[in-house]
Amino acid sequence: MWSELKKAINNINVSADWIGIRAVKETSSNRFFRDGLPQSNGKSSTVGAMVEVLVNGCLGYGATNSLELDSLQAAAEVAYKQALAASEWWIHPFEIRSERPYVVGEFISPSVKNVDGLNSREINDLLVRVCKTLRVDDKIVQTTASATTTDKNTWFISSNGSEIYQKLLLFSTHFGATAQDGLIVQQRTNNGWSAHCYQGVLDFQEEGLWHRVRQIGEQAVELLTAEECPNTRTNLVLAPDQMMLQIHESVGHPLEIDRILGDERNYAGGSFVKTDDFGSLGYGSQKMNITFDPTVKGEFASYGFDDTGAVATREYVIKEGVLQRGLGSLESQARSGIDGVACARACSWNRPPIDRMANLNLEPGEASFEEIIAGIQHGVYMESNRSWSIDDRRYKFQFGCEYAKLIEDGKLTKTLRNPNYRATTPEFWQSLIKVGNKSTWQMYGTAYCGKGEPNQAISVGHASPVCLFTNVEVFGGG
């Protein structure tokens, strides 16, 4: 691959100030079973390149599914004409030195020894067994199990000498059960839809898997006779698998600088955050510490460099409740004057990189799960996202969970079904009063974060401990 790209970068003939080529080769396999029967079992592969040019301070893009020099030359000419036409109306002039710096390096996902020995038949047999084990009772009317693997290789080369290679090995697994008794239907899944997403880790081989599978089936049945979640204001304890979505929707998206600048307003929406809020806005309580960290080993959106070559580093975006920096690429940082992170990411070779979340994590505190629960006279504990709704400014939200427990006098007591909660983003995060310690901290992710026109679905990772919020409106109803 390097020989073709080096030949191209030296021979592409356009009058650009800078040229970059990002080549991507990606192979994915997906297996999905319902009630132990195969619903899909496929493999896909794609390869291509995005040619990017800088002309008169403007960036232009051209994509091709061929890595032949003639095709890359044609893509470069498309990118050049695009940038040249736009340069008359540029919003901000970009520079090679600041927005496309010279970088050389590589990043490779952790090796996965326990996956190498699994063939397709063994994975399929495993998914069938999961479906059968979930069926713990006649009231289980449907079971599902799936596994997706993705091997993504990216090469980035530029006219100013950058050479970057990255190899990502991604795994996503899911299983769940639906129970029914008359008109009552309840679903229980393993931490919510597509939450088990990791890099270099196939968690279907984790210790205690079959205990967890049976537990999910048993809890689906348990929910059929559970009491409805009460309508009240009370203490709310969220498990890490629900904190994943809470962080994603009410912290990640509103801090994307391109949204704040208005670029996404037509499709994905805007943000309640303003450019002058950085460095001063009290986003949450002093217990709130959020880091952008693509360097975490095994987390779903780990990488060494973003798709423009910016070096990935761990940065606080919110520290002790105060907003520090945005989720903005080198381009967005130049336009806004706001400190950002290495987050210019594209979902494929035929999409330009835009501001995206990667690993966005809530840092652990000092309390154990038992200590958090023991200090609550009345409250509700919720796990696993079931539904979500949030406005296009990421200000007002309402989330529903699959499973809940009533907290009474420092103990988890009754199981509750159809638990929901609602708040505004600043009100909610200001109510954070306890953060669990490292023993409660768990990593999750999703492969389906959507944004951009045309749409880009991309992988993100989120990690969090158990958290306690006070005076939150909770309510029942499915």
Side-chain angles (χ1 to χ4, degrees):
M1 182 67 75
W2 279 123
S3 60
E4 293 95 327
L5 295 179
K6 288 179 180 178
K7 180 181 178 181
I9 205 72
N10 291 325
N11 288 279
I12 286 177
N13 184 23
V14 293
S15 300
D17 302 313
W18 175 91
I19 303 172
I21 305 174
R22 174 174 49 86
V24 180
K25 182 178 181 180
E26 182 174 322
T27 301
S28 296
S29 65
N30 175 266
R31 298 171 175 86
F32 174 62
F33 283 74
R34 182 186 294 123
D35 299 325
L37 300 175
Q39 304 299 303
S40 64
N41 191 345
K43 189 173 185 178
S44 62
S45 184
T46 181
V47 61
M50 175 65 75
V51 181
E52 182 182 26
V53 303
L54 182 64
V55 179
N56 296 342
C58 268
L59 292 163
Y61 304 90
T64 174
N65 62 0
S66 170
L67 299 180
E68 297 294 329
L69 179 57
D70 288 348
S71 297
L72 292 170
Q73 172 68 33
E77 290 172 2
V78 169
Y80 174 78
K81 292 175 182 177
Q82 181 187 104
L84 187 63
S87 64
E88 188 176 347
W89 296 281
W90 52 251
I91 298 172
H92 179 91
F94 296 114
E95 299 178 1
I96 300 171
R97 183 175 299 179
S98 55
E99 278 77 68
R100 293 296 183 268
Y102 161 79
V103 181
V104 174
E106 72 171 22
F107 175 88
I108 299 175
S109 290
S111 60
V112 190
K113 296 179 181 178
N114 59 358
V115 173
D116 297 335
L118 281 180
N119 57 40
S120 296
R121 179 176 178 177
E122 289 172 320
I123 295 176
N124 289 343
D125 288 346
L126 186 64
L127 297 176
V128 171
R129 184 182 171 189
V130 169
C131 285
K132 290 181 177 179
T133 306
L134 283 166
R135 197 172 288 277
V136 298
D137 190 281
D138 289 342
K139 290 186 173 64
I140 299 292
V141 295
Q142 181 175 280
T143 62
T144 59
S146 65
T148 300
T149 65
T150 301
D151 185 356
K152 184 175 183 179
N153 296 267
T154 303
W155 298 262
F156 178 81
I157 191 168
S158 70
S159 57
N160 61 333
S162 291
E163 291 186 14
I164 298 169
Y165 170 68
Q166 300 194 85
K167 180 180 179 65
L168 306 181
L169 190 58
L170 309 175
F171 295 93
S172 303
T173 60
H174 170 77
F175 59 85
T178 302
Q180 183 173 3
D181 185 6
L183 297 178
I184 300 175
V185 179
Q186 289 289 306
Q187 184 182 63
R188 187 73 174 107
T189 65
N190 189 33
N191 303 112
W193 177 251
S194 190
H196 270 249
C197 300
Y198 303 100
Q199 197 171 120
V201 178
L202 183 58
D203 66 321
F204 260 10
Q205 293 183 294
E206 68 184 4
E207 187 177 347
L209 170 64
W210 301 110
H211 168 76
R212 177 62 174 168
V213 175
R214 286 189 295 272
Q215 182 184 50
I216 292 300
E218 291 166 356
Q219 288 181 349
V221 176
E222 177 188 352
L223 286 168
L224 294 175
T225 56
E227 291 185 10
E228 195 83 2
C229 180
N231 301 334
T232 185
R233 276 193 171 270
T234 190
N235 295 295
L236 174 64
V237 179
L238 294 182
D241 59 2
Q242 174 59 24
M243 285 299 300
M244 167 192 148
L245 189 76
Q246 186 67 59
I247 293 167
H248 182 93
E249 300 292 352
S250 68
V251 179
H253 281 308
L255 295 191
E256 292 162 343
I257 295 179
D258 58 354
R259 292 178 67 117
I260 295 171
L261 292 174
D263 295 0
E264 287 288 322
R265 195 172 297 155
N266 185 55
Y267 176 58
S271 175
F272 73 93
V273 177
K274 301 183 292 294
T275 55
D276 57 4
D277 286 335
F278 290 88
S280 60
L281 177 65
Y283 206 97
S285 74
Q286 290 187 342
K287 301 288 185 180
M288 185 184 187
N289 292 284
I290 300 278
T291 56
F292 171 90
D293 194 359
T295 70
V296 178
K297 184 177 180 180
E299 197 165 359
F300 199 44
S302 292
Y303 51 84
F305 311 85
D306 74 7
D307 286 331
T308 65
V311 178
T313 56
R314 180 179 186 267
E315 305 288 349
Y316 276 92
V317 294
I318 297 173
K319 191 170 186 179
E320 295 180 351
V322 179
L323 182 59
Q324 304 292 318
R325 63 176 63 218
L327 302 181
S329 62
L330 293 175
E331 295 166 37
S332 291
Q333 293 175 54
R335 286 175 56 194
S336 65
I338 300 169
D339 290 337
V341 293
C343 69
R345 305 174 64 206
C347 69
S348 182
W349 56 267
N350 58 0
R351 297 289 188 271
I354 57 177
D355 292 354
R356 303 306 299 261
M357 284 176 266
N359 296 334
L360 196 63
N361 304 331
L362 180 64
E363 296 298 305
E366 299 178 351
S368 68
F369 179 76
E370 293 75 17
E371 289 169 340
I372 289 176
I373 298 300
I376 300 172
Q377 186 175 9
H378 184 275
V380 177
Y381 166 72
M382 297 187 190
E383 292 182 354
S384 309
N385 185 261
R386 181 184 60 178
S387 64
W388 66 94
S389 176
I390 190 165
D391 68 26
D392 61 3
R393 295 175 62 240
R394 303 286 148 165
Y395 187 74
K396 296 179 181 179
F397 65 82
Q398 175 178 306
F399 294 149
C401 294
E402 292 180 353
Y403 188 83
K405 286 281 190 179
L406 189 64
I407 306 171
E408 298 175 294
D409 299 323
K411 295 180 181 179
L412 297 175
T413 57
K414 301 174 183 177
T415 299
L416 303 173
R417 71 180 180 213
N418 301 328
N420 305 272
Y421 65 97
R422 63 166 65 101
T424 65
T425 295
E427 169 198 13
F428 185 76
W429 286 104
Q430 289 288 351
S431 74
L432 176 63
I433 58 173
K434 284 190 179 180
V435 177
N437 60 23
K438 187 69 175 178
S439 70
T440 74
W441 192 84
Q442 296 175 9
M443 291 191 304
Y444 296 102
T446 178
Y448 305 112
C449 176
K451 182 182 171 185
E453 293 182 280
N455 183 259
Q456 298 194 45
I458 207 163
S459 60
V460 297
H462 298 297
S464 175
V466 172
C467 290
L468 168 59
F469 301 86
T470 188
N471 195 31
V472 178
E473 183 182 357
V474 304
F475 58 100

